Amino acid sequence: MTTLAELLAQKTREGALYDRLPDGRLRCYACGHCCPLPDGAIGVCKVRFNQDGRLLVPWGYVGGVQCDPIEKKPFFHAHPGALAYSFGMLGCDLHCGYCQNWVTSQALRDPQAVAPPIAMSPEALVGDALGLGARVIVSTYNEPLITSEWAVAVFKEAKGAGLLTGYVSNGNGTPQVLEYLRPWVDLYKVDLKSFNDRHYRELGGRLEPILDTIRRLHAMGFWVEIVTLLIPGFNDSRDEVSRLTSFIAGVSPDIPWHVTAFHGDYRMTGPPNTTPEMLLAAADIGRTQGLRYIYAGNLPGQVGALEDTHCAACGELLVARYGYLIREYRLTPEGHCPACAASVPGRWGERFEGQIASRPFGRGSRLSMVNL
Ligand code: SF4
């Protein structure tokens, strides 16, 4: 019987993000691991490998497609209400015990994670996104950095059709992959999971490449929003939250920070669920450190004004939300506050164009997907 790894090895083509080294080795730059790969070796992500001195990378399939409100990604300062057509491949460079997308991200590591690849073309994905009225197309569900060549192929098609593009990523990048993505990616969400290198090593990464990626993304002009899933006992100490938010504010106090509630998932079922009070306390710390746009997520209706966007200059309500639902939109066509005319950082449309969906919905058979 053909294994999933063998199946995926057939859905590949030569990648762009690598250098050739002596003796047939090569070095991949798609993520912060920068794997040196002898001939025949496979990377930490388990989806990129050296075959006869060429780096083969995932191509021509998706692990899943879903239509999400853009608020779910979450982007709160980019076209509120837009439909974000979201696709993922398989595999990840980290192995977080609480991953909410483990069926796709850990498909090559965990025999319980069964996510059959579905043959797909960039044209089919973009055509489906347009047909549904999506404004944005997003690479998500697995770690998009490790499948960047495919994402760029889809995004070239998408940009030609007038769509915005986005990454929902763990941020374990390299200067090379960010340069490669810069022409094709508009919005970039980074999951800053902790400010403790030891914790990152438990998840299979290191803190420094992620901090470096955040600095570079902002300097290079991507629209960046950052999420931290607040896990009681793991990353919620006052000291850690202070250092984490101080770092973000040091890059830019205008970067929106979403602090979201944990609930037991996958292999991490020990810690208690995050309470609204915990989110409010973390938000207070972030505000003290200078962040201007802080949002509390995953607990709709329980976190007061922390679902809404307010003007950082005068406090005026700009966007009111309940979960992913836009209840009110008050920015000017120029993206300014209607009360004091302060410019609000983000990527805004000329007007609020309504919301096709405030809940995710699946695609399934309408895409004519073909299981490989
Ligand atoms: S994407 Fe990352 S983990 Fe995968 S081969 Fe490249 S450097 Fe290694």
Side-chain angles (χ1 to χ4, degrees), residues 66 68-76 78 84-89 91-94 99-101 104-105 136-148 151 155 165-173 178 181 184-193 213 217 222-228 258:
Q66 183 170 286
D68 291 335
I70 196 168
E71 286 70 24
K72 183 174 184 288
K73 306 325 298 178
F75 291 112
F76 275 20
Y85 187 92
S86 304
F87 66 92
M89 298 186 95
C92 189
D93 53 321
L94 303 183
C99 184
Q100 292 170 353
N101 293 317
T104 47
S105 71
V136 189
I137 187 164
V138 180
S139 184
T140 177
Y141 305 133
N142 76 316
E143 173 48 47
L145 287 168
I146 67 171
T147 48
S148 283
F155 290 171
T165 62
Y167 256 32
V168 170
S169 165
N170 62 31
N172 187 26
L178 298 185
L181 296 175
W184 308 109
V185 177
D186 300 301
L187 316 174
Y188 203 115
K189 188 217 86 170
V190 176
D191 204 3
L192 182 54
K193 299 168 190 289
T213 295
L217 286 167
F222 293 84
W223 176 252
V224 181
E225 302 201 18
I226 294 179
V227 176
T228 300
H258 303 254

Side-chain angles (χ1 to χ4, degrees), residues 42-64:
I42 191 162
V44 171
C45 58
K46 307 226 179 288
V47 295
R48 300 166 72 93
F49 55 94
N50 181 345
Q51 186 174 79
D52 302 325
R54 294 160 69 229
L55 183 72
L56 297 190
V57 307
W59 193 268
Y61 76 88
V62 292

Side-chain angles (χ1 to χ4, degrees), residues 232-288:
F234 179 73
N235 61 4
D236 67 334
S237 74
R238 185 168 191 87
D239 174 62
E240 184 162 348
V241 175
S242 296
R243 288 185 296 116
L244 185 149
T245 51
S246 169
F247 165 78
I248 300 171
V251 177
S252 169
D254 286 339
I255 294 177
W257 181 54
H258 303 254
V259 57
T260 59
F262 165 83
H263 61 270
D265 211 329
Y266 194 33
R267 290 179 175 154
M268 192 184 266
T269 51
N273 291 350
T274 312
T275 64
E277 294 72 30
M278 291 172 182
L279 295 184
L280 298 181
D284 269 348
I285 295 170
R287 213 171 288 115
T288 304

